[in-house]
């Protein structure tokens, strides 16, 4: 009869090893297999020494009711945490609003600068057009020119 019990134990261990192997493969950890192997060694050693089989059953811990002082402390902690979370959310909202205002200002400034660029480019084109216009008739003689003023041709000669 003891041989029959040992065969059942081996089959039970095989099932445990199979379950542990599947669990190890699913999790990518060897821990379940190591646990089964250690349990198996401990059991076989205990049985060889004539001791009875080790059965361990875990039960979930029972909840111990809190004292009034602990409940008050917990309530205060929750209240403080609630207030801190509210302040954090408000601060985050304010920061978001500030960033949105800054974005609007930067977009407006960017548009203003683009308009300035466009205006300056038009002004450049106007001055280029003025420089490229040839004088009508004879150019003014040096005596007729206003002192301190350059003519278009003088500027071109000077810049070359």
């Amino acid at each position: 009869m003891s041989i029959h019990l040992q065969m059942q134990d081996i089959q039970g261990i095989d099932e445990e090893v199979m379950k542990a192997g599947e669990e190890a493969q699913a999790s990518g950890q060897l821990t379940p297999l190591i646990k089964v192997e250690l349990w198996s060694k401990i059991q076989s050693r205990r049985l060889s020494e004539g001791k009875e089989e080790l059965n361990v059953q875990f039960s979930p811990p029972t909840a111990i009711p809190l004292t009034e002082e602990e409940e008050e402390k917990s309530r205060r902690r929750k209240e403080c945490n609630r207030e801190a979370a509210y302040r954090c959310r408000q601060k985050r909202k304010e920061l978001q609003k500030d960033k949105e205002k800054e974005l609007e200002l930067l977009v407006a400034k960017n548009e203003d600068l683009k308009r300035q660029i466009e205006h300056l480019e038009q002004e450049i084109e106007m001055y280029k057009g003025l420089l490229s216009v040839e004088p009508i008739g004879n150019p003014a003689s040096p005596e007729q020119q206003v002192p301190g003023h350059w003519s278009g041709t003088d500027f071109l000669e000077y810049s070359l």
Side-chain angles (χ1 to χ4, degrees), residues 134-151:
E134 293 188 23
I136 300 173
N138 294 333
S141 64
E143 301 85 31
Q144 294 173 339
Q145 289 182 351
V146 178
H149 285 43
W150 289 34
S151 67

Side-chain angles (χ1 to χ4, degrees), residues 90-143:
Q90 292 297 74
K91 186 176 180 181
R92 193 179 325 131
K93 285 179 184 178
E94 287 178 25
L95 287 173
Q96 182 66 27
K97 285 180 183 178
D98 290 345
K99 287 181 180 182
E100 287 173 0
K101 285 180 183 177
E102 183 180 1
L103 176 65
E104 289 175 14
L105 289 172
L106 290 173
V107 166
K109 185 175 181 180
N110 191 19
E111 290 174 1
D112 185 45
L113 290 172
K114 284 180 181 179
R115 282 192 295 271
Q116 269 185 327
I117 289 171
E118 190 176 309
H119 176 72
L120 290 172
E121 286 175 346
Q122 289 173 355
E123 197 172 323
I124 288 171
E125 290 300 318
M126 180 191 72
Y127 286 128
K128 282 182 180 178
L130 288 176
L131 289 176
S132 66
V133 173
E134 293 188 23
I136 300 173
N138 294 333
S141 64
E143 301 85 31

Side-chain angles (χ1 to χ4, degrees), residues 29-110:
Q29 302 281 327
L30 292 177
T31 308
L33 285 171
I34 293 171
K35 284 181 180 180
V36 168
E37 183 180 357
L38 286 174
W39 178 82
S40 174
K41 278 191 170 192
I42 291 170
Q43 287 291 38
S44 63
R45 185 172 290 160
R46 287 181 64 83
L47 292 175
S48 68
E49 292 174 356
K51 298 178 181 176
E52 60 184 63
E53 199 172 306
L54 183 63
N55 288 322
V56 180
Q57 294 180 356
F58 294 102
S59 59
T62 57
I64 301 171
L66 299 176
T67 64
E68 284 186 33
E69 182 180 307
E70 291 171 331
E71 285 180 12
E72 179 64 24
K73 184 178 180 181
S74 175
R75 189 191 58 73
R76 279 193 312 250
R77 194 173 346 136
K78 285 180 183 179
E79 184 63 31
C80 286
N81 187 36
R82 196 175 295 126
E83 289 172 6
Y86 177 76
R87 285 192 310 267
C88 181
R89 285 190 297 271
Q90 292 297 74
K91 186 176 180 181
R92 193 179 325 131
K93 285 179 184 178
E94 287 178 25
L95 287 173
Q96 182 66 27
K97 285 180 183 178
D98 290 345
K99 287 181 180 182
E100 287 173 0
K101 285 180 183 177
E102 183 180 1
L103 176 65
E104 289 175 14
L105 289 172
L106 290 173
V107 166
K109 185 175 181 180
N110 191 19

